[in-house]
Amino acid sequence: MATNIATQRSLPLRLFLWGFVLVWLVLAAFPFLWTLWGSFKVQGDFFSREDWRNALSGVRTIAETGGYFTGAGYEGAWVQEEFWRAGVNTMIVTLCVVAISLTFGTLGGYALSRSSFKYTFWILMAALIFRAMPHITLVSGYLLPFFELNIWGILPTTIIVLVAINQPFTLWMLRSFFMNIPKDLDESAMVDGCTRFQAFRRVIIPVMWPGVITTGLFSFLLAYNDFAVTATLLSQDNQTMIPKIASFLGTTQQEGNVMFAVSAVVSATAPLFVLVLFFQRQIVSGLTAGAVKG
């Protein structure tokens, strides 16, 4: 009897929770789904001032292209404006930033987590202050030496700056993961004949692999979505996707092609959904490992 009463009482609560989750999913997914839908329309429909329902009916799209959908925006962005070059540049920048940040972050985070010296705290504080500074403030300090050395506008300089900005975050996050791993594992491995680095590589890293993946994903997103650094330090020929999308919008003096930008936004956002879905288990495991004391 008590079970039936509890079930009856929990039913309205479950309905409310499911309804709340459904509404939240609709609100969260709507902007991307609407943009995805509009990327296959012409500008006159998707940005219609007469009637927003033109984006659904595709009146001008049918009149201009003869079909209900059109891929002109994607063709213009990827072929005419060579958006694929920006995609290649983005992959080079993000993969290099992740590889370098994780390499130094795992080594530095492990050293800081096992260090008993007082300067460890001050190193972490300095890193936190550096990370809290606005990116554009840090970038402005790099401009003069980059111009004098004639290395402005190329990918390696941007990678260096993004690594410098991202490194404090990886140090803090990976150190927190290492702190949750008992020091007994290191000591046991060294008793069995391992050196400190062998214990780190063969014992510690496999244990905290979800934390490395989680940190790597956040580092990837930071480099992938960056605008301030890439727009300031890269030339027109070496732009990554985010500044390239902004260039499609034009300026007050020059008319842009908005539908190129809409199609490019969809193209740049879709890989992120795939990436998060592919690594969702590792992300949850990593965040849980960082939140629970081992």
Side-chain angles (χ1 to χ4, degrees):
M1 185 68 179
T3 303
N4 293 334
I5 295 175
T7 303
Q8 292 176 358
R9 289 180 178 178
S10 63
L11 181 60
L13 179 60
R14 283 187 294 173
L15 292 176
F16 170 78
L17 292 176
W18 278 108
F20 176 79
V21 171
L22 181 61
V23 171
W24 181 84
L25 286 175
V26 171
L27 293 176
F30 177 77
F32 176 75
L33 295 177
W34 183 254
T35 305
L36 175 63
W37 176 272
S39 66
F40 294 100
K41 303 294 182 180
V42 298
Q43 183 173 343
D45 280 335
F46 191 50
F47 294 96
S48 176
R49 296 183 179 181
E50 301 173 359
D51 190 351
W52 66 270
R53 288 173 293 186
N54 287 347
L56 298 176
S57 60
V59 177
R60 295 187 180 180
T61 303
I62 296 174
E64 293 181 19
T65 66
Y68 193 68
F69 297 103
T70 177
Y74 291 95
E75 182 180 358
W78 285 90
V79 179
Q80 178 181 329
E81 299 294 334
E82 296 185 333
F83 188 67
W84 63 270
R85 294 184 182 273
V88 172
N89 291 335
T90 300
M91 289 299 102
I92 294 174
V93 170
T94 51
L95 292 179
C96 289
V97 169
V98 170
I100 297 173
S101 297
L102 286 184
T103 299
F104 287 104
T106 50
L107 295 173
Y110 177 72
L112 292 173
S113 67
R114 297 299 188 260
S115 176
S116 58
F117 293 102
K118 293 182 179 180
Y119 64 75
T120 301
F121 171 78
W122 298 108
I123 292 176
L124 292 171
M125 287 299 102
L128 184 61
I129 294 173
F130 185 82
R131 182 66 180 86
M133 294 176 65
H135 292 181
I136 195 63
T137 304
L138 299 172
V139 172
S140 60
Y142 290 102
L143 288 177
L144 181 58
F146 285 172
F147 283 137
E148 291 182 347
L149 296 173
N150 197 27
I151 56 174
W152 177 87
I154 59 177
L155 297 181
T157 54
T158 303
I159 293 171
I160 292 172
V161 175
L162 286 175
V163 169
I165 293 174
N166 186 49
Q167 202 62 69
F169 167 77
T170 57
L171 277 176
W172 269 91
M173 194 163 185
L174 289 170
R175 176 183 175 272
S176 67
F177 286 118
F178 282 123
M179 290 292 290
N180 292 323
I181 298 177
K183 295 182 180 180
D184 296 342
L185 290 178
D186 309 57
E187 297 171 358
S188 299
M190 288 188 287
V191 167
D192 291 337
C194 292
T195 63
R196 171 70 72 173
F197 182 74
Q198 288 175 335
F200 165 76
R201 181 170 60 88
R202 298 179 180 179
V203 178
I204 304 301
I205 288 297
V207 172
M208 66 160 299
W209 191 245
V212 175
I213 294 178
T214 303
T215 306
L217 179 62
F218 282 115
S219 299
F220 180 91
L221 294 177
L222 180 142
Y224 189 90
N225 295 321
D226 181 84
F227 176 78
V229 176
T230 53
T232 306
L233 296 182
L234 288 176
S235 63
Q236 189 76 19
D237 296 332
N238 292 324
Q239 283 183 333
T240 54
M241 287 194 292
I242 304 303
K244 187 69 173 179
I245 292 172
S247 69
F248 290 153
L249 299 175
T251 62
T252 54
Q253 293 81 23
Q254 182 180 2
E255 182 181 359
N257 197 317
V258 180
M259 296 314 297
F260 289 1
V262 173
S263 302
V265 166
V266 175
S267 302
T269 307
L272 299 181
F273 281 98
V274 177
L275 185 69
V276 172
L277 289 175
F278 185 77
F279 288 110
Q280 60 176 329
R281 291 187 178 181
Q282 288 82 358
I283 295 171
V284 173
S285 299
L287 293 176
T288 304
V292 179
K293 186 67 177 178

